Amino acid sequence: MAHVPGQTMSVRTPAPRVEGTRQAILGILRRQDGVSVDALARELGLAGATVRRHLDVLLRDGLISVAQVRSGPGRPRYAFSITEAGAEAFPHHYIRLTQRLIEEIVALSPEETAGCDGRGLAELVFSKLADRIAAECAPRVVGATLEERARSCVALLSEEGIDFEVDLRRRSAGAPPELCVLGRGCPCRRVAPPVGAGAPATRAPERMASPANDCSHDRRLLQMLLGARVEPLPADAVPHEFLSAYALIETPGEAAGERSRSPA
């Protein structure tokens, strides 16, 4: 595109390549908001001075931000958070997901789309996309336990441009950890907002993405791949930098059967 004299051109600078300890720091800040140097040092097993040196580089590159937090008398502590540029430093596979969406749209028949409005059409495409990904990825999900299968599933979906992360959290002292999957983004909500945000959908094969922390297509896809019950967590249980969170619940006798069946 030709440059017009006197017109300022905006060029987006790619995020710097981040590896090793700094990548680990960004990973922690991606899951938690407002983390102190001491907390980072404990989780990384490093000295505070070492962590501060890495934080200085990340601040210089604009990948993190820092704020003072006062919690009583005495010196304030510094809390670090990831920035949008820092989140972009992680690998993405948007091209793969975009290609799949285009393939599903092209494959639609006139009979399938008859009577659909825009949102209904989007729901139809996402439903078919979930079925296709489940059919292709299910035979590749491996693991003897639900956690192992979840980690295998998350790795496979990452290749598709669907960003999930496995999380183990303790509900109370002494209680077994709850196995969760956290989602960072959902293209469904970008294209088809929750019911009530616009005109009612026509002929949607699935209910519209309901609460802000839940996507029916994501849940159905995880259920088909894992053969487990997938329950959305309440909005206040979704960590910073994530848009959704689901508890995975093994159901006796269901996993092997569900994972062996291809989605309709």
Side-chain angles (χ1 to χ4, degrees):
M1 182 175 66
H3 174 57
V4 179
Q7 182 181 34
T8 302
M9 296 184 67
S10 175
V11 179
R12 185 172 182 178
T13 303
R17 183 177 179 84
V18 185
E19 296 178 341
T21 301
R22 289 194 279 277
Q23 181 77 31
I25 291 173
L26 289 178
I28 295 170
L29 298 181
R30 203 179 183 197
R31 298 189 300 270
Q32 306 172 51
D33 188 29
V35 185
S36 67
V37 173
D38 290 342
L40 287 168
R42 283 194 301 272
E43 185 156 350
L44 294 168
L46 297 173
T50 302
V51 173
R52 288 188 186 91
R53 286 197 295 272
H54 289 294
L55 290 171
D56 286 342
V57 175
L58 293 171
L59 283 166
R60 180 201 67 195
D61 292 340
L63 303 181
I64 62 172
S65 62
V66 62
Q68 284 189 354
V69 179
R70 291 189 175 275
S71 56
R75 296 171 58 187
R77 71 177 181 89
Y78 292 92
F80 296 86
S81 302
I82 195 169
T83 63
E84 183 178 350
E88 287 295 323
F90 289 85
H92 299 286
H93 301 276
Y94 298 134
I95 294 177
R96 173 64 171 158
L97 185 59
T98 301
Q99 180 183 353
R100 278 196 177 274
L101 286 169
I102 292 172
E103 289 171 353
E104 295 300 334
I105 292 171
V106 171
L108 290 173
S109 67
E111 292 77 18
E112 290 176 304
T113 60
C116 281
D117 62 8
R119 291 180 64 200
L121 181 61
E123 285 292 299
L124 177 62
V125 170
F126 286 126
S127 180
K128 286 180 167 291
L129 178 64
D131 287 345
R132 188 178 298 273
I133 291 175
E136 293 180 12
C137 291
R140 300 165 58 197
V141 175
V142 297
T145 66
L146 180 56
E147 181 182 348
E148 290 172 349
R149 298 200 307 274
R151 294 189 185 280
S152 173
C153 171
V154 164
L156 291 170
L157 291 178
S158 176
E159 297 173 4
E160 299 293 336
I162 303 173
D163 196 357
F164 284 115
E165 182 173 310
V166 175
D167 182 62
L168 287 171
R169 56 181 63 187
R170 294 193 178 275
R171 288 164 289 185
S172 59
E178 182 178 40
L179 180 60
C180 300
V181 169
L182 310 177
R184 288 196 174 84
C186 173
C188 308
R189 283 197 292 274
R190 293 176 181 268
V191 178
V195 171
T202 303
R203 281 194 54 214
E206 290 278 329
R207 67 176 179 83
M208 302 303 270
S210 49
N213 62 309
D214 181 23
C215 170
S216 61
H217 301 300
D218 278 355
R219 280 192 294 109
R220 194 164 65 90
L221 176 58
L222 290 170
Q223 286 173 170
M224 287 189 288
L225 289 173
L226 296 172
R229 200 162 83 247
V230 179
E231 297 290 345
L233 296 180
D236 59 4
V238 180
H240 173 69
E241 283 298 318
F242 292 93
L243 293 180
S244 58
Y246 303 97
L248 306 183
I249 304 164
E250 186 80 89
T251 51
E254 180 180 303
E258 283 297 319
R259 286 186 289 124
S260 66
R261 289 200 297 268
S262 296

